Amino acid sequence: MLKNTVPEVGYFNVYPLKASLTDGAKTIPFKRRDFYKIMLVIGQGKVHYADKIIEVEKQVLSFSNPTTPYSWEDRDKITDGYSCIFNKAFFHQFGDLNQYSVFQPNGEHIFELTDQEVVKINDVYGRMFKEINTDYVHKYDLLRNLVFELLHFASKLQPAANYEKQNIDANQRISTLFLELLERQFLVDDNLLQLALRSPSDFAYHLNIHVNYLNRAVKKITTKTTSQIIGERVLQESKIMLKHSGLDVSAIAYALGFKEVTHFNNFFKKHTQSNPTKFRKV
């Protein structure tokens, strides 16, 4: 495996998927990772991304970020492909990766490719392999550019309607900050830290604004209440943890900020018409 870690430029690596498929495991573990990953996958299988399951028929370009867990089933059906991984420090002062929808919680992360598109993506990875082995002093800048090529390639595959320009006014800015802060809460399965922020007033305090201002801004931009968005995200995380973690229900309830497991059970049943234990067994 090619490996490049330089303190001032962060971490970057590129490798063929076959190199990671030699251990015989059929499933890539479902957990948080501390890096971003872009994969060209040739083959079939299922991708568990957050609380979604996506069927892969032939070939895809996939994107994953450090905060959203994912796993691949049927690794033995993957016949070829490449992967590049990098941490946030690799793009320090070179742009905000999270502004791209492929790395956002509600964005598109898996893209079916035509044979012609696979040829183009193969070319990008080929240039990555070539550059990473050189002694060129600015090779990491070139590698960043190649990562951006993949980002823009995928972005162009999404419906044009997703890219209507919006004015970033105060409401948009506050709403974006709230959603980013909300998403950063959900690393609980790594070390079982309890959610620190659960109410609109909690988020308003950390954003240094009045809770009424936060509620108005979020409602205007998303058409949902702040409490509704928080509840939906907690529900999504509860489903993820029930299906893909080994924690018992009481530990999950604690991690998600419920003082009593009965409160968690009631919350879950209200939104799913099922209790956590039954949901886990389905």
Side-chain angles (χ1 to χ4, degrees):
M1 179 182 292
L2 299 170
K3 191 172 184 179
N4 282 263
T5 307
V6 181
E8 62 270 24
V9 298
Y11 176 87
F12 179 87
N13 193 5
V14 59
Y15 56 90
L17 282 185
K18 287 182 179 179
S20 65
L21 299 175
T22 57
D23 57 6
K26 292 187 177 182
T27 303
I28 298 175
F30 189 103
K31 62 180 180 179
R32 304 299 203 273
R33 293 162 169 82
D34 59 358
F35 50 78
Y36 296 81
K37 178 183 286 188
I38 306 176
M39 292 196 298
L40 170 64
V41 180
I42 310 298
Q44 297 177 321
K46 291 182 180 179
V47 186
H48 296 257
Y49 199 98
D51 60 344
K52 301 179 180 66
I53 300 177
I54 302 168
E55 295 276 355
V56 175
E57 298 295 334
K58 185 177 180 182
Q59 52 209 16
V60 297
L61 187 65
S62 77
F63 296 79
S64 58
N65 63 53
T67 62
T68 306
Y70 70 93
S71 68
W72 281 78
E73 279 189 34
D74 303 321
R75 291 177 70 192
D76 54 333
K77 294 182 180 179
I78 298 175
T79 59
D80 203 357
Y82 303 98
S83 177
C84 65
I85 61 175
F86 44 91
N87 60 9
K88 192 172 184 178
F90 186 65
F91 280 90
H92 179 59
Q93 297 183 335
F94 287 89
D96 182 6
L97 293 175
N98 293 323
Q99 71 176 314
Y100 292 91
S101 62
V102 295
F103 289 132
Q104 294 172 355
N106 297 320
E108 294 293 328
H109 308 102
I110 309 292
F111 299 86
E112 290 279 356
L113 302 177
T114 65
D115 291 343
Q116 292 76 15
E117 289 168 339
V118 169
V119 171
K120 294 179 181 179
I121 300 302
N122 269 324
D123 175 68
V124 176
Y125 277 103
R127 284 182 281 156
M128 285 184 180
F129 281 109
K130 181 178 179 179
E131 287 300 334
I132 205 170
N133 284 313
T134 70
D135 295 323
Y136 178 49
V137 65
H138 299 301
K139 72 176 181 180
Y140 292 109
D141 288 341
L142 287 175
L143 288 167
R144 292 185 189 95
N145 288 336
L146 292 172
V147 171
F148 277 123
E149 277 196 43
L150 296 178
L151 288 173
H152 290 295
F153 183 91
S155 296
K156 290 179 180 180
L157 294 178
Q158 300 185 67
N162 291 345
Y163 298 96
E164 293 179 358
K165 189 174 181 179
Q166 297 181 345
N167 292 323
I168 307 300
D169 59 11
N171 291 324
Q172 179 71 57
R173 182 178 61 84
I174 292 299
S175 181
T176 298
L177 289 172
F178 160 69
L179 292 172
E180 290 178 354
L181 187 56
L182 173 63
E183 195 61 33
R184 287 204 296 269
Q185 304 299 299
F186 295 96
L187 293 173
V188 292
D189 68 344
D190 288 331
N191 49 20
L192 207 59
L193 291 176
Q194 190 176 35
L195 292 187
L197 311 178
R198 279 297 309 272
S199 70
S201 58
D202 291 337
F203 286 90
Y205 176 80
H206 281 268
L207 294 172
N208 197 30
I209 59 176
H210 194 280
V211 65
N212 291 342
Y213 182 20
L214 172 64
N215 289 335
R216 285 196 301 270
V218 171
K219 181 74 172 184
K220 183 174 182 179
I221 298 300
T222 69
T223 72
K224 296 180 179 181
T225 68
T226 311
S227 295
Q228 184 180 357
I229 292 175
I230 295 171
E232 288 176 352
R233 187 60 183 87
V234 170
L235 179 64
Q236 180 192 37
E237 191 70 11
S238 67
K239 291 179 179 179
I240 292 170
M241 297 181 75
L242 286 167
K243 286 292 187 181
H244 303 287
S245 80
L247 300 174
D248 60 34
V249 173
S250 61
I252 291 173
Y254 170 82
L256 294 178
F258 292 90
K259 294 181 179 179
E260 301 288 343
V261 69
T262 54
H263 296 166
F264 174 60
N265 289 337
N266 292 336
F267 166 83
F268 194 86
K269 189 171 184 179
K270 175 183 177 181
H271 293 284
T272 67
Q273 287 72 54
S274 176
N275 66 47
T277 302
K278 289 182 179 179
F279 178 84
R280 169 169 266 174
K281 292 179 179 179
V282 173

